[in-house]
Amino acid sequence: MINVLRNPIIIRTSTKSNSIILSSHGKQNPNLSSTSSSSSIQIPTTNNPLNPKTHLLKPIILTPKLPLRKTRIVKKRIEKEDEAELLKVGTSGRGMLILCGFGYWVQGFRCFPWLGLNFDMANTLNLNPSTLQLVQNVAILPMVAKPLYGILSDAVYIGGAHRLPYISIGALLQVLSWGSLALIPVKGDALPILMACMLLGNLGASITEVTKDALVAEYGQKQKIRGLQSYAFMALAAGGMFGNLFGGYFLSKTQQPNFMFLLFTLLLSCQLALSVTSREDSLGLPGPPGNYILKKSFFQNLQKQFLDIITIISDESILRPLCWIVASILVVPILSGTVFCYQTQCLKLDASVIGMSKVVGQLMLLLATVLYDRYWKRIPIRTLISRVQIVYATLLLLDLILVGQINLKVGIPNKAFVLCLSGLAETVAQFRLLPFSVLFMNLCPPGFEGSLASFLGSAFCLSSIISGFLGVGLASLLGVSSGDFLNLKLGIILQFVAALVPLGWIAYLPMSRSGEEKKKKKSIRRMKKREHKRK
């Protein structure tokens, strides 16, 4: 039964290293130490040649894989450790959590007074849909200059600090803005004053947002806290949900937007007091450098920051996806102000219904974000965004169902339809930016995340403003007004067609994550070469 022996296999056991060394044809393994005592055992083999997959000549040591259940336990343990890191940084950590959490909560709660202001302009001032949307888009123009605010916060120190003073300045500007709106009676000739207050409030809000983002990034990097951004996002989302919920309730019960402005002014005053009484050195943040000179540091940082942004954006791996997302926002004319006027003036919907629809939309956004973090981030961005774009275009047709009153024919009341489905298209439009933010941060060279993030926020805001202006022009061209919403259906159909157009250049987006890593390495090499040439 046993074949005749041909080639022996020598097994040498080393007592020093407690390992087994295998060799064939009687040759000793050169890796075996000469000082170790060894013994050899000859084992007969068959005529069949050795299978190379057995790795007898060069044995491979494999690390044992954890079972799936243990892997999940380890992941949950890591997540709990990340959350526990927020509580292990002492007094400075508690102060940072309060300052960051309350600041982001107030930022999300800004929808509370804005809901009352939109109702005030639509019902009290009786603005046309196109005029209302024009006012809304002009009011957010200060958001476009976010990169400038970030450069100022990085370059110019005020009293030895460069984060908290700018948060205080932004909060003060918002207090002046919303406090004035609470005291000024809204009349037919109050639109210029309203515009000035809205511009001032958004200027303060943009300064505060940029500075808080920089503060969170700087503190998290210094203290090596990985969960601080998630904590800030949860506070922001919680503020948005509470703002929409209470905004609709207060507006329906009191019918006095000025009371909402006053309440929000009190919250901003609390944020201002908190930022003024806090000390930046108590948070463990570094002060100005020893060779800090104001006039030299400011202008040199301004020039360097601008050149760095141009260098990063000019890289093809970032430029092509950036062109796609900006163009996809630009080509779709936004009719949100017109649809808002239709819901309030034509359908006579209550403010609480519209506020709750925003709450439902933000809950869906949170759910989509969790699903993306768990599952969808493994999908190539080209495949994911193409599907999201098709869903976004399809959801735009929900407004067509509402305007045509098709929902009533199938037994769905207008309130239920607006409450459950009205905010879904806006939710998908917001979620669409998340994969691009992750992509750009992965491709960004180290040390330039802040500059790129502020530039992206400015680019998204500017494209949204232009899209809003296109919506105003489309509504005016179709003759949509407060008493005539007949041609609004055609505008919604044109919206749907325009949302499908960006799929024609979907090839601008990368297909695989391995390609992203290669492009990031190329981008870093290009940055180093250009820095060397600049020196």
Side-chain angles (χ1 to χ4, degrees):
M1 298 295 295
I2 301 178
N3 294 331
V4 182
L5 297 178
R6 288 199 175 185
N7 297 327
I9 293 179
I10 307 300
I11 301 180
R12 301 183 186 274
T13 59
S14 174
T15 59
K16 184 176 182 179
S17 59
N18 195 22
S19 60
I20 299 176
I21 298 92
L22 304 177
S23 61
S24 62
H25 301 285
K27 296 181 181 180
Q28 293 186 356
N29 195 316
N31 296 327
L32 182 63
S33 173
S34 60
T35 59
S36 61
S37 61
S38 62
S39 60
S40 62
I41 303 174
Q42 292 189 359
I43 297 179
T45 61
T46 62
N47 291 330
N48 297 329
L50 292 176
N51 190 345
K53 294 183 179 180
T54 56
H55 300 288
L56 288 176
L57 298 179
K58 294 182 180 180
I60 297 176
I61 301 176
L62 299 177
T63 57
K65 294 184 178 180
L66 292 175
L68 181 60
R69 183 178 179 182
K70 292 185 177 180
T71 304
R72 293 176 179 175
I73 294 175
V74 171
K75 289 182 178 179
K76 291 181 179 180
R77 187 181 303 167
I78 293 175
E79 292 176 357
K80 292 181 179 179
E81 291 176 356
D82 292 342
E83 296 175 357
E85 286 180 357
L86 296 174
L87 305 176
K88 293 181 180 179
V89 290
T91 306
S92 65
R94 288 191 293 270
M96 181 63 187
L97 289 179
I98 295 173
L99 183 67
C100 170
F102 185 71
Y104 276 96
W105 189 88
V106 172
Q107 178 183 337
F109 200 76
R110 289 180 68 239
C111 58
F112 175 77
W114 270 101
L115 183 61
L117 184 59
N118 288 331
F119 266 91
D120 223 356
M121 291 188 294
N123 298 328
T124 305
L125 297 181
N126 294 321
L127 296 181
N128 291 327
S130 57
T131 306
L132 176 61
Q133 191 164 336
L134 180 63
V135 170
Q136 291 173 343
N137 286 279
V138 172
I140 61 176
L141 281 176
M143 299 285 184
V144 180
K146 279 187 175 182
L148 178 60
Y149 313 144
I151 294 173
L152 288 174
S153 177
D154 290 336
V156 181
Y157 284 74
I158 301 176
H162 69 142
R163 300 302 183 201
L164 294 183
Y166 289 94
I167 295 179
S168 302
I169 292 174
L172 178 61
L173 293 178
Q174 294 183 79
V175 167
L176 296 176
S177 169
W178 292 105
S180 301
L181 288 174
L183 299 177
I184 298 174
V186 179
K187 298 180 180 180
D189 56 348
L191 184 58
I193 301 178
L194 289 178
M195 282 296 304
C197 292
M198 285 188 288
L199 289 171
L200 183 63
N202 282 331
L203 174 62
S206 58
I207 294 175
T208 305
E209 290 174 12
V210 169
T211 311
K212 285 203 302 288
D213 292 341
L215 178 62
V216 168
E218 185 177 4
Y219 186 85
Q221 185 177 8
K222 179 176 175 56
Q223 302 293 340
K224 297 181 180 180
I225 300 177
R226 292 172 291 181
L228 194 56
Q229 284 80 5
S230 300
Y231 172 75
F233 181 79
M234 287 187 290
L236 179 66
M241 287 187 289
F242 278 105
N244 284 305
L245 181 62
F246 291 132
Y249 176 79
F250 274 95
L251 197 58
S252 60
K253 294 297 182 181
T254 63
Q255 297 294 328
Q256 294 180 355
N258 287 15
F259 176 75
M260 302 171 65
F261 304 155
L262 181 60
L263 181 60
F264 187 65
T265 302
L266 294 177
L267 288 175
L268 290 172
S269 301
C270 295
Q271 183 185 13
L272 176 61
L274 182 62
S275 60
V276 169
T277 55
S278 302
R279 294 177 55 86
E280 196 162 303
D281 53 0
S282 66
L283 301 177
L285 299 178
N291 57 351
Y292 173 75
I293 301 176
L294 179 61
K295 60 181 181 180
K296 181 179 179 181
S297 175
F298 173 71
F299 289 108
Q300 283 189 351
N301 282 343
L302 184 65
Q303 182 182 9
K304 183 178 182 300
Q305 202 85 353
F306 179 76
L307 293 176
D308 289 340
I309 291 177
I310 295 300
T311 303
I312 295 172
I313 300 302
S314 61
D315 189 270
E316 184 179 352
S317 60
I318 295 179
L319 181 61
R320 289 169 66 90
L322 179 61
C323 290
W324 192 93
I325 183 61
V326 170
S328 66
I329 298 174
L330 283 175
V331 298
V332 182
I334 298 299
L335 299 172
S336 57
T338 306
V339 175
F340 178 82
C341 289
Y342 175 78
Q343 294 174 351
T344 57
Q345 297 177 0
C346 185
L347 299 182
K348 305 296 182 181
L349 292 179
D350 192 63
S352 60
V353 176
I354 297 179
M356 283 301 299
S357 69
K358 301 293 184 181
V359 174
V360 173
Q362 291 194 346
L363 286 174
M364 295 299 295
L365 179 62
L366 280 176
L367 177 61
T369 304
V370 172
L371 291 175
Y372 174 79
D373 184 66
R374 293 275 182 155
Y375 309 106
W376 297 345
K377 65 182 179 181
R378 301 180 181 90
I379 303 176
I381 188 171
R382 185 187 301 179
T383 304
L384 176 63
I385 292 300
S386 61
R387 296 173 182 175
V388 171
Q389 191 69 18
I390 294 174
V391 173
Y392 171 63
T394 306
L395 291 178
L396 288 174
L397 295 177
L398 292 176
D399 290 332
L400 181 63
I401 297 176
L402 181 65
V403 174
Q405 294 292 280
I406 303 176
N407 56 295
L408 295 179
K409 298 179 182 179
V410 295
I412 302 177
N414 290 329
K415 290 184 178 181
F417 187 88
V418 172
L419 179 63
C420 300
L421 302 175
S422 179
L424 293 183
E426 183 179 355
T427 299
V428 175
Q430 294 176 2
F431 170 77
R432 184 179 51 175
L433 302 178
L434 177 60
F436 284 95
S437 300
V438 175
L439 172 66
F440 291 137
M441 290 300 103
N442 289 336
L443 295 177
C444 181
F448 299 95
E449 293 86 357
S451 301
L452 183 59
S454 60
F455 179 84
L456 293 176
S458 176
F460 295 157
C461 182
L462 181 60
S463 58
S464 299
I465 292 175
I466 297 176
S467 176
F469 286 154
L470 292 177
V472 172
L474 178 62
S476 301
L477 183 63
L478 296 176
V480 178
S481 61
S482 299
D484 185 10
F485 292 95
L486 182 61
N487 292 329
L488 182 57
K489 299 178 184 178
L490 179 58
I492 296 172
I493 295 175
L494 293 177
Q495 258 191 326
F496 168 75
V497 175
L500 295 177
V501 171
L503 296 175
W505 56 82
I506 196 69
Y508 273 54
L509 303 182
M511 189 60 192
S512 62
R513 298 186 63 87
S514 59
E516 296 175 13
E517 296 176 357
K518 294 179 181 178
K519 291 178 180 180
K520 181 177 181 179
K521 294 179 180 179
K522 291 181 180 179
S523 178
I524 295 175
R525 288 196 296 267
R526 291 175 183 174
M527 286 292 299
K528 291 181 178 179
K529 290 181 181 179
R530 294 180 182 179
E531 285 288 339
H532 182 71
K533 292 180 180 179
R534 193 180 302 171
K535 293 179 180 178

